[in-house]
Amino acid sequence: MGNYNKSPEVIVKGTHKAWIGYQDIVNEIKKCIDGRKEQIILGIECYPGVRYDEIIEGLIKPLDADQVIHSDNLAYNVEKITQMIERNLTNDRVFGVMSNHKLHEFFDENKLTIARNELSNKKLTIIYGVGASIVQQPDILIYADLARWEIQGRYRSQELANWRSDNYSEDILRKYKRGYFFEWRIADRQKKQLFEQIDYLLDTNQKDNPKLVSGENYRSALIQVVETPFRLVPFFDEGIWGGQWMKEKLSLDPNVKNFAWGFDGVPEENSIYLNFSGTRLEIPSINVVFAHPVELLGDKVHARFGTEFPIRFDFLDTMNGGNLSLQVHPLTEYIQDEFGMHYTQDESYYILEGSDDASVYLGVKEGIKKEDLLNGLERAELGEIVFPDEKYINKLPAKKHDHYLIPAGTIHCSGRNTVILEISATPYIFTFKLWDWGRVGLDGLPRPVHLNHGKNNILIERDEEWVKENLVNRTETIETGKGWTEEKTGLHENQFIRTHRHWFSEKVYHSTHNSVNMLNLVEGKEAIVESPAEAFDPFIVHYAETFIIPASLKEYTIRPYGQSDGETIATIKAFVE
């Protein structure tokens, strides 16, 4: 298990210059300025979360500009912005409504006019911050970016407040909510609009260790990403119910108490390492979706989902840990009406590992009335009783390679002593907790329970018999060949994702089905992915690694490799039907 690659990267072909550290970067920007006309506007467009103090000291001051404008100061104050997005934020601690605002709406036109009138007769003006390009179209544009998980880490450490706010010490769930439903949406729309205009991409993930690449080479690199299989940079996080399997088997930090989640297939939040001639830059992986959605997703998937990556893979580790919260996901009409989302969080649990007592909670017992169930959950939330899950909830034994389908509206959770590969639709934040076994979170605060939402989405008819017939190990053999078998394992017919499992000891052929493919090696130590037409270089994967095949590749093969040569191994593949 020690061969799980925690730092996968895309090697960008060709010789590409990258600049490391502020001194090197300043020298390059000075050369660029010296080669331009006499009056220059340098824009440093920043994604919310970039460290301004570092940008000022390391990049702006050494350039000795005649004028420096901080674009954030031209935006409305936090009170007015909060008033404008009140319906998006809601009073809920966790859930908001997805914003469809544009960034320019939050800038004061009077302040912008004054700032623009002061731009003339200055040899070098630097405009930096969120929305720098809104103030004035720059002659040179640097885009300062950082990964979504890095932003969340800065929220947690109280280093970072929300944009235009000073809420450094606010509840992390409320800070995250403002980022998820508002800030990241307007910043992403701005990023997409500026993509072709970027002269330099600045990686600001590591403190005082910036890296810069030209916009031309950055765009070239993103083209190369969608021309080959690739992996995202995994992120692992602890949780109140977390287990020990990932820590041991994936060689994670032994000093962390547990690891509950392993996010290695979530383009919305993961990042990608791009290696430019030995220099590694980290970018949000969603940038690839924004830049080349048709090549990555496929034409039909793009037509349906736009620039959203609709599939996600992650790990849930409860080995020597605890049960997940008992939960339900919203029905499609509910998530549309309440949260402004286009589609809901259908999912499935694929059992990657499990002890003899591993289990999954799925559906309700036979004959349960919804009003009785809700009464028990409400009393438990008030602390009057310990919720009698054995009375109401269907509990199933789980073993390695079982596959449990979980369409929206189905009560579910993983029991302890399992490692689950969760295969789901992307809207991952919409989990309505119904009962959390009386626990508090790692922050010491009661874990939010969402009965007000959950009660409107529980489909009580999904009982033991229905679950058994519709959701448990619905495996069908599709085709067999020499040394391989292809099986359909799910998902439920109400769900848009399809999953196929391949068992193979010989090379097996795959089609992308005109959709992006996301796969995981669920059995065996190593496999190699190859192109029948030699369209991409051979790509090696290891046990439990998630990898992505862009739709544009059309076809590929996988065979046992290295330590698994001659063995029977298995992958599970998800795609949009």
Side-chain angles (χ1 to χ4, degrees):
M1 286 303 303
N3 57 2
Y4 179 91
N5 186 358
K6 297 188 289 294
S7 299
E9 60 182 17
V10 176
I11 306 297
V12 181
K13 294 181 179 180
T15 302
H16 303 284
K17 173 66 176 174
W19 297 269
I20 307 171
Y22 281 112
Q23 186 59 59
D24 201 17
I25 291 170
V26 167
N27 290 340
E28 167 59 20
I29 300 304
K30 282 183 176 179
K31 290 180 185 177
C32 186
I33 291 172
D34 290 342
R36 300 293 184 107
K37 62 186 181 182
E38 182 143 339
Q39 293 181 352
I40 295 289
I41 296 176
L42 172 65
I44 307 174
E45 182 83 32
C46 299
Y47 202 87
V50 169
R51 294 182 173 105
Y52 287 147
D53 290 346
E54 184 179 317
I55 295 289
I56 293 168
E57 293 298 321
L59 180 55
I60 295 176
K61 284 186 177 180
L63 290 173
D64 194 24
D66 298 284
Q67 182 181 30
V68 176
I69 297 173
H70 185 22
S71 57
D72 293 43
N73 292 336
L74 307 181
Y76 294 127
N77 60 35
V78 66
E79 289 79 13
K80 183 171 178 61
I81 292 174
T82 300
Q83 183 181 20
M84 292 172 67
I85 61 171
E86 185 176 6
R87 291 193 69 253
N88 299 102
L89 293 182
T90 74
N91 292 321
D92 193 287
R93 183 182 172 198
V94 175
F95 302 116
V97 177
M98 199 64 77
S99 166
N100 62 357
H101 293 94
K102 302 288 183 66
L103 180 59
H104 69 83
E105 298 173 42
F106 300 94
F107 280 77
D108 187 319
E109 284 297 331
N110 291 328
K111 291 182 178 180
L112 287 173
T113 299
I114 293 171
R116 289 165 182 159
N117 289 337
E118 294 177 351
L119 292 176
S120 59
N121 302 319
K122 300 291 191 302
K123 182 175 181 180
L124 175 60
T125 296
I126 297 177
I127 308 172
Y128 77 98
V130 175
S133 301
I134 290 174
V135 182
Q136 183 70 27
Q137 181 68 34
D139 298 297
I140 303 169
L141 175 60
I142 300 173
Y143 193 97
D145 213 349
L146 75 167
R148 192 69 52 84
W149 277 111
E150 176 63 22
I151 296 171
Q152 293 181 55
R154 295 179 190 183
Y155 282 161
R156 291 182 186 180
S157 68
Q158 300 186 3
E159 172 194 352
L160 179 65
N162 288 109
W163 181 57
R164 298 293 289 149
S165 301
D166 59 359
N167 61 338
Y168 296 94
S169 60
E170 188 176 20
D171 173 12
I172 177 61
L173 293 179
R174 294 188 182 277
K175 290 168 74 174
Y176 178 82
K177 179 182 72 170
R178 191 175 179 113
Y180 181 92
F181 287 96
F182 168 57
E183 290 170 20
W184 303 341
R185 307 308 149 191
I186 59 172
D188 284 347
R189 293 184 183 106
Q190 178 78 349
K191 177 188 289 187
K192 287 191 284 186
Q193 183 178 332
L194 296 174
F195 178 72
E196 294 294 340
Q197 303 171 37
I198 295 172
D199 295 296
Y200 294 96
L201 190 283
L202 180 64
D203 171 3
T204 68
N205 286 283
Q206 297 179 8
K207 186 174 178 61
D208 295 318
N209 187 28
K211 298 166 188 175
L212 186 80
V213 69
S214 73
E216 181 181 0
N217 286 340
Y218 167 59
R219 285 183 285 271
S220 174
L222 296 190
I223 292 173
Q224 292 184 42
V225 171
V226 297
E227 294 177 338
T228 183
F230 65 95
R231 289 189 60 224
L232 308 180
V233 180
F235 178 84
F236 302 94
D237 206 8
E238 62 183 321
I240 196 66
W241 44 263
Q244 303 299 312
W245 185 87
M246 289 191 296
K247 181 162 63 172
E248 177 185 350
K249 301 299 183 181
L250 307 186
S251 302
L252 305 182
D253 186 349
N255 297 314
V256 176
K257 184 177 180 181
N258 68 59
F259 286 96
W261 292 277
F263 301 97
D264 72 339
V266 188
E268 169 83 14
E269 296 207 341
N270 286 124
S271 56
I272 290 179
Y273 286 147
L274 299 175
N275 187 315
F276 292 91
S277 302
T279 299
R280 176 189 287 172
L281 270 73
E282 182 174 9
I283 66 161
S285 54
I286 196 68
N287 290 8
V288 181
V289 187
F290 293 161
H292 301 289
V294 175
E295 296 87 345
L296 177 60
L297 302 178
D299 185 61
K300 291 183 179 179
V301 179
H302 173 239
R304 181 174 179 182
F305 295 98
T307 52
E308 292 186 15
F309 195 101
I311 306 170
R312 72 190 297 266
F313 278 24
D314 62 88
F315 301 128
L316 306 173
D317 181 359
T318 66
M319 198 69 74
N320 297 318
N323 298 336
L324 270 68
S325 59
L326 196 65
Q327 57 196 242
V328 68
H329 298 305
L331 301 170
T332 299
E333 60 268 29
Y334 194 86
I335 203 170
Q336 290 174 340
D337 292 344
E338 295 294 321
F339 307 115
M341 299 293 293
H342 303 301
Y343 57 104
T344 193
Q345 187 174 333
D346 290 317
E347 65 184 26
S348 69
Y349 284 171
Y350 190 91
I351 308 302
L352 196 65
E353 300 284 346
S355 297
D356 291 341
D357 61 345
S359 62
V360 166
Y361 295 80
L362 192 61
V364 297
K365 296 279 191 180
E366 295 289 336
I368 295 299
K369 295 181 179 179
K370 189 171 182 177
E371 56 267 31
D372 294 336
L373 171 66
L374 292 177
N375 180 61
L377 290 169
E378 288 166 356
R379 292 185 64 196
E381 183 182 14
L382 294 171
E384 296 177 0
I385 61 170
V386 173
F387 179 69
D389 59 279
E390 69 286 348
K391 176 180 178 181
Y392 292 106
I393 308 301
N394 185 32
K395 184 178 181 181
L396 300 166
K399 64 182 186 301
K400 186 175 175 66
H401 295 305
D402 282 345
H403 198 181
Y404 298 93
L405 315 183
I406 312 172
T410 310
I411 291 180
H412 66 281
C413 77
S414 169
R416 65 187 306 272
N417 289 332
T418 60
V419 180
I420 285 173
L421 174 65
E422 188 176 46
I423 302 171
S424 72
T426 293
Y428 55 92
I429 194 175
F430 300 95
T431 296
F432 300 147
K433 295 184 182 70
L434 306 174
W435 166 243
D436 198 40
W437 318 98
R439 298 179 295 213
V440 297
L442 295 177
D443 56 7
L445 298 173
R447 300 240 297 163
V449 174
H450 314 110
L451 282 182
N452 57 325
H453 290 302
K455 66 184 180 182
N456 297 313
N457 290 278
I458 295 170
L459 296 180
I460 201 70
E461 62 270 24
R462 293 185 177 171
D463 56 18
E464 294 174 80
E465 188 63 29
W466 191 90
V467 165
K468 180 181 178 181
E469 291 181 2
N470 291 275
L471 304 184
V472 180
N473 289 328
R474 298 191 64 194
T475 303
E476 302 174 19
T477 298
I478 298 173
E479 192 175 358
T480 60
K482 182 183 176 182
W484 61 269
T485 298
E486 180 179 7
E487 301 169 326
K488 177 182 176 182
T489 67
L491 277 69
H492 187 262
E493 47 261 32
N494 289 352
Q495 301 169 281
F496 65 80
I497 297 172
R498 289 291 170 262
T499 54
H500 288 186
R501 180 172 57 201
H502 288 77
W503 296 96
F504 54 103
S505 57
E506 303 285 341
K507 180 184 292 187
V508 60
Y509 173 86
H510 286 256
S511 167
T512 62
H513 302 279
N514 298 312
S515 162
V516 65
N517 289 188
M518 184 171 272
L519 300 93
N520 189 282
L521 184 63
V522 295
E523 183 71 41
K525 296 182 179 67
E526 284 183 293
I528 189 165
V529 185
E530 296 168 302
S531 167
E534 299 184 351
F536 57 82
D537 292 335
F539 185 80
I540 298 171
V541 295
H542 307 99
Y543 179 65
E545 291 182 354
T546 294
F547 56 103
I548 295 171
I549 307 290
S552 61
L553 298 186
K554 303 294 185 184
E555 59 179 6
Y556 56 100
T557 63
I558 308 180
R559 60 181 171 88
Y561 179 78
Q563 299 178 65
S564 292
D565 197 18
E567 299 178 351
T568 298
I569 63 178
T571 58
I572 190 154
K573 171 173 71 175
F575 58 96
V576 178
E577 188 175 45

